Amino acid sequence: MKKILNLLFLSLLLSNIISCSQNKTSKSDADMDRFVDDLMSKMTLEEKLGQMTQLVVGFDTTGPVMSKDVEEKIKAGLAGSVLGIYTPEAIRKLQKIAVDNSRLKIPLLFGYDVIHGHRTIFPINLGLAASWDLDLIERTARAAAEEASADGLNWTFSPMVDITRDPRWGRVSEGAGEDAYLGSRIAEAMVKGYEQNDLSKDNTILSCVKHFGLYGASEAGRDYNTVDMSRLRMYNEYLPPYKAAVEAGSSTVMTSFNEVEGMPASGNKWMMTDLLRNEWGFGGFIVTDYTAIPEMVNHGVGDSSKVTELSLNAGVDMDMVGEMFLKFGAELVQSGRVSGKMINDACRRILEAKYKLGLFENPYRYIDENRPKERSFTPEKLALSKEAAVKSMVLLKNDGDILPLDPTRKIAFIGPQVERKRDLIGSWSAAGDWTQAVSLREGLEKKFGKNKFLYAQGANLLEDTALVKKLNDFGSLIEISNKSPRQLIQEAVQTAQRADVVVAVLGEAFSMSGEAACRTDIGLPENQKELLKALKETGKPIVLVLMTGRPLTLTWENDNMNAILETWFAGTRAGDALTDILFGDVSPSGKITMTFPRNVGQIPIYYNHKNTGRPVNENEKYTSKYLDVSNEPLYPFGYGLSYTEFTYGDIRLSADKLVPGGKITATITVANAGKRAGTETVQLYIRDVVGSVTRPVKELKGFKQITLQPGKSGSVSFEISDNDLKFYNADLKYVVEPGDFTVFIGGNSRDVKQADFRME
Ligand code: BGC
């Protein structure tokens, strides 16, 4: 009997598949609706809850829980998606079980954290953001989608668009930094790169905006911690990138671990339904973060059954790894605590995503054993990795033009990061292969041969054995040398003494940033600082090259080093890119997208702050400041030097009045006053001088890049319309208010020219 039923369902499904593929070119919403209606009419409640469940298998997990009996659950129709595996072989095996052995043969979605590249790794996202190059960022997302889809995947948990103002938080490495405008443009570029507005291709994948929402505002920069802020701040400062990604067509959204207004995001009806679906019109599906539903019990909003009820009623569609819908969903529906409609809507959205991907037509469309070879690690992708690395690096200091280096001089490369490869691909590079990354030493030797420079290790990456153990338990491969720290430093000093210039290559292990990798002291590890102090005593000029996943506090380094170059974790071609930058084949052009504080006590610190009633005045006691350190950051948002020098003329406004619906143009002349070619990111900021609510001292509203040969200049123009002046007022209405505005243009958020206009 069962066999007959199975055959019957199979033939029904096949007829659906055939009619669907006949209509493939039109693929109208009506076709999809008919198909999904038909399929859902055959589904039991358990099967619907199964579609709403994501299991984790395999090699990479990001939480403490692993799914059990995965194959059995797939056979029983109790899984809609799987996360944590890739390769066509591994994915084919599970897809085959779903398609051959489950009652309704519904194919699975395969999700994975493809965050800054899949196999070919690009710089960490904070580094990519520092390029301010949207086209480049889109191309990296595109390349990542090509490699991921070649590996059988059809869903990435990216872009991560959490605005953050706290570099103690380890996950700053995954996002675009502190600014909502830049974050929004980057979010759009990434969604476009992954999805191309066309999921029917075999090399586009679902994107997933995360973590919705406000995750980057975790108190004290501690991961998973409480978030609390006014709606005014949410709307103006934290929500725009999520909204921009949704408007750019992102197919899925992931909830965040934190609470918002006293309710964890995964149970927050206001966020998931009122805001995301009703206000923003999001039509895709919502997945929770990893076990976020059961974790709501720890948050203290109910027992397991209650938190499941909360999340279903909030509008969550898929449970990542928690299996709470499987356990409690049926009972909640039967007792009337959750309506059948909620379940139907959620299941429908997931089936729609599968339909749009073409999985009902061909469940194996992403699975082809030849594709990884054809599409991964191609010369184009490796070249893109180098281009992205070059464009992400930020020159923070360069006294006396010590950089670029002159290869005819004697140069000593000193530090644990000269040769280490493990860190170069950064955190969240799950399918990346760090052994394929090019170290700085390899980059140097490729270009200059083996015996050109002097080398010394100088220090271990870390001396703190308890921390080393914690990090090594998660694959950091940090080695402590047999030589004592003193011996390492002595060798380094002797090496430095034989050189004309020292390049100290220091920083964090990759695992010192990323998820659950927060720090209260964000300076260089003490033992690395000891090395720098000893090198400083040699009197040799020192270039400090940093590899980090976050802004560090670099006050001492800024006072004592001749040059500082921030290279982040620059990806597969890090060493090649760094060699080119150090020797001036290309000038650095990156600009930081997070403020670098002078010390941890200044945090949170960000450029688009409000004025107080008592703005800082160093000569007056009762003003808003610290006794022990200035209010100014070490390096402001948008800052980054070049090997050449750019000078700015005055701002020319096409008019000093803007009328509703009109435009004015702000133009500035930028000149390359130095001796080398270079690219400058020209930034436009606006201040709303008087508002119905207080407004920031300035906000980024545009940016453009210009490449200039030495001695040349060019004009850069920005059109300003009333749209650029809008903000959310106290009623959360998006309005423009007439009055005075100031325009600022410059090469960073601090050093700007300004002009005024009025909005009529
Ligand atoms: C992270 C997400 C990630 C998910 C799946 C979670 O721990 O917060 O960013 O996408 O795991 O790996």
Side-chain angles (χ1 to χ4, degrees), residues 413-426 438-442 444 455-462 476-478 503-512 524-525 528 531 544-549 567-570 574-575 578:
F413 287 89
I414 293 175
Q417 290 294 26
V418 176
E419 294 195 18
R420 256 177 80 81
K421 289 177 174 226
R422 179 63 193 96
D423 305 308
L424 297 175
I425 62 172
V438 180
S439 70
L440 173 57
R441 180 149 187 177
E442 287 170 341
L444 292 167
Y455 295 98
Q457 184 185 332
N460 294 309
L461 198 56
L462 288 167
S476 292
L477 306 177
I478 300 169
V503 181
V505 192
L506 302 177
E508 299 184 296
F510 82 94
S511 48
M512 288 164 76
L524 276 176
Q528 297 190 31
L531 168 66
L544 172 60
V545 171
L546 290 168
M547 298 190 182
T548 73
T567 72
W568 317 108
F569 295 122
L578 185 47

Side-chain angles (χ1 to χ4, degrees), residues 494-521:
Q494 281 158 10
T495 310
Q497 274 157 348
R498 289 163 51 213
D500 303 318
V501 186
V502 173
V503 181
V505 192
L506 302 177
E508 299 184 296
F510 82 94
S511 48
M512 288 164 76
S513 58
E515 186 172 353
C518 303
R519 300 174 63 197
T520 61
D521 175 352

Side-chain angles (χ1 to χ4, degrees), residues 377-398:
F377 289 125
T378 59
E380 296 75 29
K381 291 192 175 78
L382 290 168
L384 181 61
S385 172
K386 181 173 169 192
E387 179 191 346
V390 163
K391 290 181 172 170
S392 70
M393 293 180 185
V394 186
L395 184 62
L396 296 171
K397 178 173 180 185
N398 193 19

Side-chain angles (χ1 to χ4, degrees), residues 62-63 83 113 157 171 174 210-211 215 254 257 289-290 320 428 515:
T62 53
L83 105 117
D113 289 286
F157 305 126
R171 304 197 78 166
E174 286 174 63
K210 72 185 188 187
H211 306 82
Y215 184 32
M254 185 187 293
F257 286 125
D289 203 343
Y290 204 107
M320 182 188 282
W428 288 114
E515 186 172 353

Side-chain angles (χ1 to χ4, degrees), residues 252-265:
T252 71
V253 169
M254 185 187 293
T255 66
S256 54
F257 286 125
N258 55 282
E259 66 171 72
V260 175
E261 298 182 329
M263 177 54 70

Side-chain angles (χ1 to χ4, degrees), residues 197-210:
N197 268 322
D198 182 1
L199 292 173
S200 72
K201 294 185 189 158
D202 68 15
N203 63 5
T204 52
I205 57 179
L206 304 173
S207 63
C208 182
V209 190
K210 72 185 188 187

